[in-house]
Amino acid sequence: MARIVQKFGGTSVADIDRIRNVAKRVKREVDAGNEVAVVVSAMAGVTNQLVDYVNRISPLHDAREYDAVVASGEQVTSGLLALALQELGVNARSWQGWQIPIRTDDVHGKARIVEIPAGELEKRFAQGQVAVVAGFQGLGPDNRVTTLGRGGSDTSAVALAAALKADRCDIFTDVDGVYTTDPRIVAKARKLDRIAYEEMLEMASLGAKVLQTRSVEMAMNHRVPVQVLSSFVDAPGTLVVDEDEIVEKQVVSGIAYSRDEAKITLEKVADRPGVAASIFGPLADAAINVDMIVQNVSEDGRTTDLTFTVGKADLERAVKVLEGKQKELGFARIKPDRNVVKVSVIGVGMRSHAGVAQKMFQTLADKGINIQVISTSEIKVSVLIAEEYTELALRALHTAYGLDAA
Ligand code: ASP
Ligand code: MG
């Protein structure tokens, strides 16, 4: 007997037939003698619709009411799936975040889970009952409903698996696993059998949209074995596991890309101590995250150009903040650029192999692609290039690192 958490995303519960299918999958695990908790998302498109309603009534809304509205999508699917299971003769009931309760912090709209008491669910397991839990939602310290940020039901599932000490957390989605890169762009992309937590974390935070970044962080911290698989085909997916459990380590396991960043260049910034602090301070105060940064050498010893990236959604605000400080900061010109993409190669094998970055730079150079900004960490190299080269760069890098499917 195993204890399993199964999570079904929005496309897996998009209509009544699919919910019935999900119920059959759950029943299979129950029939195999396992204890099962299920976490569900809202039906595909529902959360977007709810967010839109909120924004139309109140663009600068009270985040607590936003949560009250957007959490409702998952309430519907948890009830419907419990009913579908009952129709199949499975003992099941739905649980809302506040009933368990899934305790979170007070950051409405993007709350973090702080505690999930397992006792009541475990008691029900012993009676053979399946728990169908509404994902994405919790209960804040103010006793009001919170939500965990878009894509948050992945995190609900992993957190529940950790709290229940589950043997496995299966994340069912509309793709059959984690790929070496986006298969819609690179036809030769391959499904990975296994990927290390750290690699998955980079992949998620660098633009691969399969799992919410926070869910991977949580899986890594609590060593929850996660499997990403399709709810539409009957095949094993990708296991997200500890690095030690991967026998054949690739130097590069995957290539991610993100069109969500924009570039800002400040020309002729004074080259003196404290300047970077005085530029990035006001951005931080405005809650604008800066990602990649380069500072050019100053030719005359007095001024330099400074280039960095921010989220595309924050670009206008960032420009406004900096323009407001132009006198104080003393730069000559500010040049925003939305036409960029960040491409990253990722792999734990990089720790022990030299030349990974060099191969990336050479491959891009051979294709005549100019690199605008570079950043690296222990297990990734990222470059910023012009957006129109996205496809070309991904395909060339995929081949260069030997990732192409046979
Ligand atoms: N329904 C929520 C969303 O669309 C949470 C989730 O699906 O993970 O963001
Ligand atoms: Mg999702």
Side-chain angles (χ1 to χ4, degrees):
M1 187 185 76
R3 184 174 284 181
I4 296 164
V5 173
Q6 296 184 300
K7 181 256 168 176
F8 293 90
T11 49
S12 308
V13 293
D15 57 39
I16 297 303
D17 280 341
R18 288 186 181 178
I19 291 175
R20 284 203 185 103
N21 259 329
V22 165
K24 282 187 206 146
R25 277 221 178 230
V26 175
K27 183 172 188 295
R28 254 198 275 159
E29 294 292 357
V30 176
D31 289 346
N34 296 319
E35 294 176 335
V36 186
V38 188
V39 174
V40 286
S41 290
M43 295 164 88
V46 166
T47 310
N48 286 346
Q49 174 78 78
L50 295 169
V51 169
D52 182 57
Y53 287 156
V54 169
N55 287 332
R56 274 160 58 193
I57 289 208
S58 174
L60 296 173
H61 44 255
D62 175 348
R64 292 161 300 190
E65 301 304 351
Y66 166 95
D67 281 348
V69 176
V70 303
S72 65
E74 274 73 8
Q75 173 158 345
V76 173
T77 37
S78 61
L80 290 175
L81 181 57
L83 288 172
L85 283 163
Q86 290 172 8
E87 288 295 324
L88 296 179
V90 177
N91 177 6
R93 75 155 272 191
S94 66
W95 294 86
Q96 304 312 302
W98 60 269
Q99 291 171 316
I100 293 179
I102 296 176
R103 296 261 175 216
T104 72
D105 65 15
D106 61 357
V107 186
H108 281 275
K110 213 172 174 38
R112 276 179 181 274
I113 295 175
V114 292
E115 199 202 345
I116 303 181
E120 193 56 34
L121 295 184
E122 281 175 336
K123 209 156 74 196
R124 309 292 183 113
F125 280 155
Q127 298 159 8
Q129 191 174 68
V130 171
V132 184
V133 179
F136 184 50
Q137 51 170 268
L139 185 67
D142 53 1
N143 265 338
R144 298 186 66 171
V145 174
T146 52
T147 62
L148 310 178
R150 298 306 305 271
S153 48
D154 293 337
T155 301
S156 308
V158 175
L160 190 63
L164 292 169
K165 300 191 172 55
D167 298 290
R168 230 171 59 223
C169 181
D170 284 345
I171 309 263
F172 289 88
T173 173
D174 52 355
V175 293
D176 57 358
V178 180
Y179 276 72
T180 47
T181 193
D182 188 340
R184 289 167 304 183
I185 295 186
V186 181
K188 289 179 177 160
R190 275 189 296 119
K191 192 182 87 179
L192 295 160
D193 293 330
R194 284 165 185 251
I195 186 169
Y197 290 120
E198 270 179 274
E199 293 171 333
M200 191 64 233
L201 190 58
E202 294 283 5
M203 293 277 261
S205 59
L206 292 169
K209 300 226 153 54
V210 231
L211 289 175
Q212 198 198 32
T213 306
R214 224 175 246 180
S215 71
V216 186
E217 235 167 50
M218 173 128 13
M220 183 162 94
N221 292 339
H222 297 272
R223 293 285 179 257
V224 177
V226 170
Q227 179 176 207
V228 178
L229 68 173
S230 164
S231 58
F232 304 116
V233 296
D234 225 341
T238 300
L239 287 170
V240 190
V241 293
D242 212 85
E243 198 178 318
D244 303 339
E245 290 173 49
I246 300 176
V247 191
E248 269 184 69
K249 288 190 188 59
Q250 298 283 336
V251 177
V252 167
S253 307
I255 305 175
Y257 69 99
S258 166
R259 293 189 166 109
D260 297 341
E261 289 186 35
K263 182 180 77 166
I264 296 177
T265 301
L266 295 176
E267 289 181 350
K268 295 197 185 305
V269 180
D271 193 12
R272 55 173 162 74
V275 162
S278 58
I279 288 168
F280 295 119
L283 293 176
D285 291 344
I288 296 169
N289 265 330
V290 173
D291 179 29
M292 311 170 90
I293 302 175
V294 284
Q295 183 181 337
N296 301 337
V297 285
S298 76
E299 280 168 28
D300 53 7
R302 283 181 315 192
T303 64
T304 172
D305 291 352
L306 188 73
T307 298
F308 54 91
T309 63
V310 298
K312 251 183 199 151
D314 289 333
L315 180 63
E316 268 145 45
R317 241 160 24 93
V319 169
K320 223 181 223 148
V321 166
L322 293 168
E323 277 174 349
K325 303 233 165 214
Q326 184 162 8
K327 276 227 173 68
E328 205 176 306
L329 298 172
F331 56 87
R333 218 151 69 94
I334 180 165
K335 286 205 312 196
D337 183 2
R338 295 179 157 272
N339 176 34
V340 289
V341 62
K342 182 170 74 168
V343 175
S344 311
V345 299
I346 297 151
V348 288
M350 246 178 247
R351 290 203 192 101
S352 47
H353 280 83
V356 175
Q358 162 57 20
K359 180 175 270 184
M360 184 180 204
F361 305 153
Q362 191 59 54
T363 304
L364 297 174
D366 290 346
K367 296 286 176 197
I369 300 171
N370 187 40
I371 298 171
Q372 304 177 12
V373 189
I374 299 168
S375 74
T376 66
S377 78
E378 219 189 355
I379 66 159
K380 70 135 208 272
V381 184
S382 302
V383 296
L384 196 73
I385 59 175
E387 189 174 4
E388 58 263 33
Y389 295 122
T390 310
E391 284 82 4
L392 182 60
L394 288 178
R395 288 184 195 133
L397 292 168
H398 200 265
T399 304
Y401 289 107
L403 295 173
D404 287 354

